[in-house]
Amino acid sequence: FLDRLEILRIQRPTVEHFPAIYRHALQDIARDAGISEASLPELSPSVVTAIRDSFKTGISLRRVKGAITKSLEIAAQHQTN
């Protein structure tokens, strides 16, 4: 069945793509949680900058989404305290 598999090579997203990556990650996280994006806690600019800077160093998109998810969890905990 591998004869129908086509490998596509794409370039790695650059830091200029980060705003769209961040926005789509928030949409995915909200959808997976079954809530609206507006219900997610807001991350501070310094947290978003730290995630963006990590992305610039070459971490994967999966790890970027994981960092955003963890940061949202921490922000939500601080909102309830």
Side-chain angles (χ1 to χ4, degrees), residues 21-22 24-30 32-33 40-41 43 47 51 61-77:
I21 292 166
Y22 180 74
H24 287 285
L26 291 177
Q27 292 168 353
D28 288 349
I29 292 164
D32 292 348
L40 293 172
L43 297 181
V47 169
I51 296 169
L61 293 176
R62 185 173 291 138
R63 292 192 63 193
V64 168
K65 186 177 178 183
I68 294 168
T69 301
K70 188 64 176 173
S71 298
L72 289 168
E73 290 170 358
I74 293 168
Q77 289 174 352

Side-chain angles (χ1 to χ4, degrees), residues 15-67:
V15 72
E16 288 77 25
H17 296 107
F18 183 78
I21 292 166
Y22 180 74
R23 188 173 52 252
H24 287 285
L26 291 177
Q27 292 168 353
D28 288 349
I29 292 164
R31 184 192 67 238
D32 292 348
I35 61 174
S36 71
E37 190 177 338
S39 298
L40 293 172
E42 189 171 332
L43 297 181
S44 71
S46 62
V47 169
V48 176
T49 298
I51 296 169
R52 186 197 68 215
D53 290 348
S54 292
F55 175 69
K56 285 193 315 190
T57 66
I59 69 169
S60 70
L61 293 176
R62 185 173 291 138
R63 292 192 63 193
V64 168
K65 186 177 178 183

